[in-house]
Amino acid sequence: MKFKDIYGAAAGIGLAASFALVAPSAGFGEDLEMTLQVYPGSLVSLPEYVGVGAGIYKDNGLDVNLLPLRTGPDSIAGAVSRSADAVSNSLGNTLLANGQGQDLILVANAWNAPLFSWLKQPSYEMAGLDKAYPENLAGFDGARIGVAGRGTETELFTRVLLKDAGLDPDTDVTWVPVGFGQTAVAAFEAKQVDIIITMEPVQTILDARDTGEMVIDLTVGEGPELFRTYPGVSRIALRSHVEDNPELFEAYLAAHDEVIAFISDPANVGAVAEIFAEASGQPLEIAQAIVSKYTGVWANVFDCQGYANVLAYLVASGQFAQELADNAQTCESIVAPVSQGIIIQ
């Protein structure tokens, strides 16, 4: 069964239910069933799509179901309710959830950079773009900035950058919720905003159409030093669930490691792009451009300096008091014991 057969003509845009993609594999007896959350059509869910599409989960004795959930809060709720065995989310959101009484831990890593880029309308004048960060952002003063939603990480990351540039996030810009994906593209191309902060595939779509100009791209190491070493997206689960199912998560870790290696190998760009095109509904040339751009970003490792930077971001964005950050969980305690010998640097 192909991704496009499941997603239909609006692939990656209108899903609301989970679906099974993998039949039990031969040679392993009865496979271990596992549900993994995805953000429909998003690049950050590429490991899950490749794990299914390339047969890597099946080869590791896993019968995987993919559960589409659209937002970070939905993802956290999926892990807490055990609707999904593991979910995709940022470490920052995980720490916030734990601060509210949850006990979530990192079981794998996937993307070692922040997700976000800022693009401007070609007609929007920004003086000083050739200057070094943060002086290159002075032109954000007075801008209408498109974010996924008020209070989301798209706004919170932007607030950190605005403060670095000497701007007041509450008075010097206007925040405009535009959603993600196609709704964000439509809002930007309708010129409802001057600047948009978003993640793939929106960046590449706008670039291909010559309708957006890149201002700053955290995914390739631009911006503040704080985000140069940063675990952008990890795989998260309930601590008790991991502890109760060691065989399941050991098999998942082995498979995930293979998936990341497969995606990271330039020789596999064509195969990975075909899988992503089917899963996302994007034209193959757009999928290939995206996959090629980010081949070097994927890694199943977790850097404890990155953990310290996440805490610093939470303080800088006003989500954590400094005292709370000073007394937060240690780097080792946020990582599942079954994962520590594999992913911690």
Side-chain angles (χ1 to χ4, degrees):
M1 184 179 292
K2 294 184 177 181
F3 290 112
K4 63 184 179 184
D5 296 331
I6 300 166
Y7 277 58
I13 298 173
L15 274 174
S18 62
F19 46 88
L21 293 177
V22 181
S25 62
F28 281 94
E30 186 173 347
D31 286 347
L32 297 168
E33 292 188 4
M34 190 171 202
T35 298
L36 301 175
Q37 176 258 339
V38 294
Y39 298 106
S42 173
L43 180 66
V44 297
S45 295
L46 185 61
E48 284 71 29
Y49 293 132
V50 169
V52 169
I56 296 173
Y57 292 145
K58 180 179 179 181
D59 290 344
N60 281 271
L62 292 173
D63 181 3
V64 168
N65 301 304
L66 299 184
L67 174 65
L69 297 173
R70 293 189 171 279
T71 70
D74 288 343
S75 159
I76 294 292
V80 170
S81 67
R82 299 192 186 183
S83 299
D85 296 292
V87 303
S88 173
N89 216 307
S90 70
L91 189 55
N93 283 341
T94 303
L95 290 171
L96 291 170
N98 286 352
Q100 297 171 355
Q102 303 301 335
D103 193 11
L104 298 163
I105 52 176
L106 185 153
V107 294
N109 207 46
W111 178 282
N112 269 335
L115 298 171
F116 303 121
S117 301
W118 288 255
L119 298 93
K120 74 176 189 70
Q121 299 284 354
S123 60
Y124 183 71
E125 296 294 332
M126 280 187 63
L129 274 177
D130 57 341
K131 295 183 179 179
Y133 178 87
E135 287 80 9
N136 61 337
L137 301 187
F140 276 28
D141 191 5
R144 297 169 300 163
I145 300 181
V147 294
R150 294 304 310 272
T152 62
E153 283 203 319
T154 53
E155 178 181 336
L156 296 169
F157 268 73
T158 306
R159 283 177 168 269
V160 173
L161 271 60
L162 291 172
K163 289 177 181 177
D164 283 354
L167 299 175
D168 187 333
D170 295 314
T171 61
D172 291 339
V173 302
T174 300
W175 301 102
V176 182
V178 297
F180 269 132
Q182 295 299 330
T183 61
V185 170
F188 187 81
E189 293 188 330
K191 298 188 176 180
Q192 296 174 12
V193 297
D194 305 305
I195 307 287
I196 190 170
I197 171 179
T198 189
M199 64 183 186
E200 293 290 7
V202 173
Q203 293 99 314
T204 299
I205 292 172
L206 294 176
D207 180 66
R209 295 178 180 177
D210 292 323
T211 53
E213 293 182 1
M214 187 66 70
V215 176
I216 186 168
D217 188 353
L218 297 188
T219 68
V220 295
E222 297 176 355
E225 186 67 29
L226 176 64
F227 298 130
R228 302 282 173 80
T229 302
Y230 200 91
V233 182
S234 302
R235 299 303 185 258
I236 308 298
L238 274 179
R239 183 185 302 274
S240 59
H241 188 45
V242 177
E243 292 174 348
D244 291 344
N245 297 278
E247 183 182 3
L248 177 67
F249 283 94
E250 286 170 5
Y252 168 66
L253 274 166
H256 183 77
D257 211 40
E258 286 186 33
V259 168
I260 295 299
F262 189 89
I263 295 172
S264 301
D265 187 344
N268 295 328
V269 164
V272 173
E274 288 185 6
I275 290 170
F276 186 52
E278 287 197 86
S280 67
Q282 299 299 328
L284 181 58
E285 61 270 21
I286 294 291
Q288 185 141 356
I290 294 170
V291 169
S292 299
K293 179 179 178 181
Y294 297 107
T295 300
V297 173
W298 304 97
N300 189 26
V301 293
F302 179 72
D303 191 318
C304 284
Q305 179 57 54
Y307 176 72
N309 289 347
V310 171
L311 290 172
Y313 152 71
L314 292 173
V315 173
S317 59
Q319 299 177 84
F320 260 27
Q322 184 62 57
E323 181 181 1
L324 187 59
D326 292 340
N327 293 285
Q329 297 168 257
T330 65
C331 174
E332 289 76 13
S333 69
I334 198 69
V335 177
V338 69
S339 310
Q340 289 183 7
I342 300 172
I343 68 171
I344 285 189
Q345 287 187 325

